[in-house]
Amino acid sequence: MEQVNLALGAMGFGSQVDKRTAFDLLDRFIDGGGTLIDTANCYAFWSDPNGAGGHSEKVIGEWLAKRPGLRDRVRLSTKAGAQPVGGGQWPANREGLSASAIKTAAEDSLRRLRTDHVDLFWTHMEDRSVPLEETAQALALLVESGTVARLGASNHPLWRVERARHIAQANGWPGYTALQLRHSYLSPRPWAKVPDQGHRFGWVTDEILDYVVAHPDVALWAYTPLLNGSYTRDDRPLSEAYDHPGTSRRLAVLTEVAAELGVTRNQVVLAWLAGGVPPLTPIVGVSSTAQLEEALAGAALVLPGELRARLDAVA
């Protein structure tokens, strides 16, 4: 089975998606050539009456425990830094990125995932109350201990990522080699507020793309690539932030390309992301087998050069 450049987003597993459905989706994802499973220690605290996360990691851990030998076929990606701790309002009460918080978060994630290591460990959001040196060293210790294979930064401003990478390099420590940000074929107006945007620095920009091209050791993962269903579902309209001429022009070309290929607009978007320059790894959250099959086919789709050029040419 050929591997596909797609990460299965497990945010809703154990909360919006029940355990049995999650198990079925995970099984089908692996059978369909998927290997990357993305979660976080804080998923999904906003759905829990007590405001606690960890649901997604627990489900994945139970799934792995019931399938001996499967761990070597999957690459687990999880995050730390945004889990609520104690009282107060989020995000003020998040665990942050101190050395002790990172150590505790990693240990707790391993326990819930029922594994001795994770393949990619992300800092979920920046923490300016902690020196970058402290965070960088704590992350390096995870790699050096074998607990973590690689390090990534999600929703961080690029200048902070670059500074952290420089600190790691200067000290001979392993540093960030992946970025996780929001990206899709459509973009909102500059400075417009998107209702579910979540993080101020959570967007792929032209500077980010240029940075990844110039630094081949840095991978780029894209979340919310399908805009929560807005490309294909009438009941999920785009927010007002996307109301500009560029959206209309891009949707028109996207629709034409999808029709010519006999696929959905979602599948064209995933193919455009996964096969572009630089190539991105789309993260897709699903709640049904039909959605997963569509995503797997989209990530495996190779866009002809002429069609990709048409998509790229629309400002």
Side-chain angles (χ1 to χ4, degrees):
M1 176 67 67
E2 186 174 350
Q3 294 183 4
V4 295
N5 182 20
L6 181 76
L8 180 62
M11 179 187 291
F13 290 2
S15 49
Q16 295 97 330
V17 179
D18 66 79
K19 183 167 69 173
R20 180 176 178 179
T21 301
F23 278 24
D24 290 343
L25 292 171
L26 287 162
D27 287 340
R28 176 62 195 114
F29 180 66
I30 299 302
D31 290 343
T35 60
L36 306 172
I37 302 170
D38 184 69
T39 185
N41 67 341
C42 67
Y43 294 160
F45 73 84
W46 52 90
S47 299
D48 185 87
N50 298 314
H55 308 282
S56 174
E57 289 182 331
K58 287 178 183 177
V59 168
I60 295 169
E62 290 181 35
W63 172 72
L64 285 171
K66 292 180 181 296
R67 288 152 179 79
L70 189 62
R71 176 66 183 91
D72 292 339
R73 292 177 53 191
V74 302
R75 285 187 283 167
L76 295 179
S77 157
T78 195
K79 312 176 191 72
Q83 172 85 302
V85 290
Q89 289 290 112
W90 191 90
N93 67 344
R94 68 189 186 277
E95 64 194 331
L97 299 176
S98 67
S100 60
I102 288 172
K103 182 177 184 295
T104 298
E107 291 171 349
D108 290 346
S109 287
L110 292 178
R111 184 184 69 254
R112 287 189 290 262
L113 290 166
R114 304 193 189 191
T115 186
D116 61 356
H117 73 284
V118 294
D119 301 280
L120 185 46
F121 189 78
W122 308 84
T123 49
H124 205 161
M125 53 194 302
E126 63 170 336
D127 181 2
R128 298 193 187 186
S129 71
V130 176
L132 277 172
E133 290 79 3
E134 178 179 341
T135 298
Q137 184 175 31
L139 293 171
L141 289 173
L142 295 180
V143 178
E144 291 165 358
S145 70
T147 299
V148 168
R150 288 179 59 199
L151 301 168
S154 181
N155 306 309
H156 287 45
L158 187 56
W159 70 268
R160 299 259 304 167
V161 173
E162 176 64 9
R163 186 170 292 180
R165 278 167 54 88
H166 177 75
I167 290 169
Q169 183 180 37
N171 286 278
W173 300 334
Y176 290 130
T177 59
L179 302 174
Q180 185 176 145
L181 301 157
R182 179 168 176 162
H183 193 44
S184 187
Y185 183 61
L186 298 181
S187 299
R189 296 188 312 276
W191 304 104
K193 295 294 184 182
V194 179
D196 62 342
Q197 72 181 54
H199 301 277
R200 177 184 177 189
F201 300 107
W203 297 85
V204 169
T205 63
D206 192 42
E207 182 182 19
I208 295 286
L209 295 173
D210 183 63
Y211 184 88
V212 173
V213 169
H215 297 82
D217 64 313
V218 178
L220 181 56
W221 291 32
Y223 66 81
T224 321
L226 302 180
L227 302 183
N228 301 313
S230 294
Y231 286 110
T232 56
R233 293 177 54 174
D234 293 336
D235 63 328
R236 297 284 183 88
L238 291 164
S239 72
E240 189 274 337
Y242 289 86
D243 185 10
H244 58 84
T247 293
S248 301
R249 291 194 293 265
R250 284 209 150 196
L251 280 179
V253 174
L254 182 64
T255 302
E256 292 171 4
V257 170
E260 290 182 32
L261 294 174
V263 299
T264 67
R265 295 200 296 199
N266 280 345
Q267 290 172 320
V268 174
V269 170
L270 293 177
W272 179 79
L273 289 167
V277 178
L280 279 67
T281 297
I283 308 169
V284 178
V286 299
S287 57
S288 70
T289 302
Q291 292 173 349
L292 178 57
E293 297 289 354
E294 179 187 35
L296 286 168
L301 176 66
V302 177
L303 291 175
E306 183 271 331
L307 295 184
R308 177 174 291 279
R310 280 168 57 187
L311 291 164
D312 290 341
V314 186

